[in-house]
Amino acid sequence: MALLGQMIILESERLKKVSGNNSEREALILLGYVMGCQTSLLQHNLNEEVSISTQNLFKSVVDKRCQHQPISQIIGLRYFWKHQFLVTPDVLDPRPDTETLIEQALDIGPFKRILDLGTGSGCILLSLLSEYPLATGIGVDISEKALNVANENAILLGLDDRAQFRIGNWCEGISEKFDLIISNPPYVTEDEMYNLSKDILDWEPRIALTPEGDGLNAYKSIFTSAEQLMSQRSSLILEIGFNQAESVSAIARENNFETVHIIKDINNKDRALVIKQLV
Ligand SMILES: C[S@@+](CC[C@H](N)C(=O)[O-])C[C@H]1O[C@@H](n2cnc3c(N)ncnc32)[C@H](O)[C@@H]1O
């Protein structure tokens, strides 16, 4: 049998090639996952013996990480806003930057009827519904597998009575009015895709990352059909790439919308637009 501390050193060494300076932290997270305990507890028990089956399980999850599978997919969870969300290779791993959209919605809300376009894991819609106990909403996605994950998250968070998930192409087939439409659509350009890390490129769904071409096609589709789902008082909040505020605002103007606010993220980069219909 090996000691816990020895296992951590051994597996951190293997992890260095994918996670560099983070390798020890990742080894602790993965061992904590395998043993079902917190990483702080592991650090206090480095001289404890580890059973052969735990060693083998630990090695197998480190193997996965060495194939560049993101930690969130291996452990199946990601903390977003105030809750844990199930994450699989079928959904985008929710990003801290996207929490900027939640903050903004809370600033300009409350909202009672919410449409989340490209819902993925459901993290945006479900976070907002948990903040607004009287609100209901629809999450749309073109991926049935992503919607299965969103549905599971809604059940786990006890929000399935107020969240509905529908398969669809952006706003197609939806005909009611919403006071908030919110979306983190795919916006990476086809060229930028070549620069993404293997963790992202090999493991997250391409359809969640890029609409191909110049990265703007999802915005074009949303703007051409969102108007009929909004009233003059409704808001549209869209996540954007750090260099897309101008081009997305131009598409908005062509479609009778205007950007009323550009929101910065925690790194002070443009991250979201608040958009209204032109009067
Ligand atoms: C950037 S991910 C956002 C996921 C989630 N809302 C989040 O913020 O973590 C974009 C999502 O849009 C979905 N999507 C891509 N094309 C779509 C389309 N034509 N209609 C609806 N959803 C689409 C993808 O499947 C993916 O779940």
Side-chain angles (χ1 to χ4, degrees), residues 54-177:
T54 302
Q55 283 180 43
N56 288 340
L57 209 54
F58 185 32
K59 279 185 195 155
S60 72
V61 293
V62 171
D63 284 347
K64 289 186 186 181
R65 184 67 190 116
C66 288
Q67 303 289 319
H68 289 270
Q69 185 163 21
I71 294 263
S72 57
Q73 285 186 13
I74 298 171
I75 66 175
L77 289 174
R78 162 70 70 190
Y79 200 83
F80 178 87
W81 193 245
K82 295 182 182 169
H83 299 284
Q84 279 194 326
F85 288 85
L86 296 179
V87 170
T88 73
D90 295 318
V91 296
L92 188 89
D93 187 357
R95 308 292 204 268
D97 289 337
T98 303
E99 293 178 344
T100 311
L101 275 73
I102 308 291
E103 272 167 1
Q104 186 56 31
L106 295 178
D107 269 3
I108 62 174
F111 298 104
K112 283 190 76 176
R113 189 74 180 136
I114 301 167
L115 176 64
D116 174 20
L117 297 169
T119 198
S121 62
C123 61
I124 297 179
L125 178 66
L126 297 171
S127 296
L128 288 174
L129 293 184
S130 74
E131 295 285 348
Y132 296 130
L134 298 179
T136 58
I138 299 179
V140 173
D141 208 288
I142 202 154
S143 157
E144 194 166 1
K145 289 180 175 169
L147 290 174
N148 290 338
V149 177
N151 252 316
E152 276 191 71
N153 278 321
I155 293 167
L156 285 170
L157 295 173
L159 293 166
D160 49 316
D161 54 338
R162 294 192 284 126
Q164 211 195 348
F165 292 102
R166 286 196 204 162
I167 191 144
N169 181 19
W170 303 124
C171 305
E172 271 175 33
I174 298 179
S175 51
E176 57 172 299
K177 301 271 185 203

Side-chain angles (χ1 to χ4, degrees), residues 42 83 90 124 144-145 157 187 193 204 227 249 252 271:
L42 298 176
H83 299 284
D90 295 318
I124 297 179
E144 194 166 1
K145 289 180 175 169
L157 295 173
Y187 55 71
M193 286 297 286
E204 297 200 73
E227 194 175 3
S249 297
R271 182 54 60 194

Side-chain angles (χ1 to χ4, degrees), residues 23-51:
S23 61
E24 194 176 320
R25 202 184 122 259
E26 292 198 353
L28 280 167
I29 295 173
L30 292 174
L31 185 56
Y33 162 67
V34 161
M35 295 181 70
C37 67
Q38 292 188 337
T39 53
S40 54
L41 202 69
L42 298 176
Q43 281 165 315
H44 288 117
N45 293 289
L46 297 175
N47 288 324
E48 230 175 62
E49 288 188 340
V50 186
S51 70

